[in-house]
Amino acid sequence: METRVAVISIIIEDSESVQEMNDLLHQYGDYVIGRMGIPYRKKGINIISIAVDAPQDVISTLSGKIGKLKGVSSKVAYSNVGKQ
């Protein structure tokens, strides 16, 4: 199956959603290339970037599930690598 490389950018404003988000990332762990998280204590938020290599529908599904969590927003930036 054709895969795409992408970065999912996540901002968590409600710390109660952190565990649910981590559970989702664990479920999709086979697709995760790497992860970087930055706690921005001054604003009380967490900023996370997840690099993935997965089919486009998997990336969209994961980002959508993350974005539905309370106090969490996500956006995806796709690479053209792997795109036909």
Side-chain angles (χ1 to χ4, degrees), residues 6-84:
V7 176
I8 303 174
S9 300
I10 304 164
I11 296 179
I12 301 175
E13 297 174 345
D14 186 340
S15 61
E16 292 182 14
S17 296
V18 170
Q19 186 59 50
E20 288 178 87
M21 197 224 30
N22 283 329
D23 291 344
L24 279 172
L25 293 178
H26 180 74
Q27 290 173 22
Y28 288 83
D30 290 343
Y31 302 107
V32 174
I33 300 168
R35 168 183 178 164
M36 178 183 65
I38 303 168
Y40 189 14
R41 290 179 184 88
K42 180 178 177 181
K43 298 287 184 175
I45 62 174
N46 293 293
I47 304 161
I48 301 170
S49 295
I50 310 293
V52 295
D53 184 358
Q56 187 163 345
D57 62 327
V58 171
I59 296 169
S60 296
T61 299
L62 175 57
S63 178
K65 287 180 179 182
I66 291 170
K68 288 182 181 178
L69 297 174
K70 179 183 173 200
V72 180
S73 59
S74 67
K75 298 287 182 188
V76 179
Y78 288 96
S79 165
N80 288 322
V81 174
K83 185 177 180 183
Q84 290 185 354

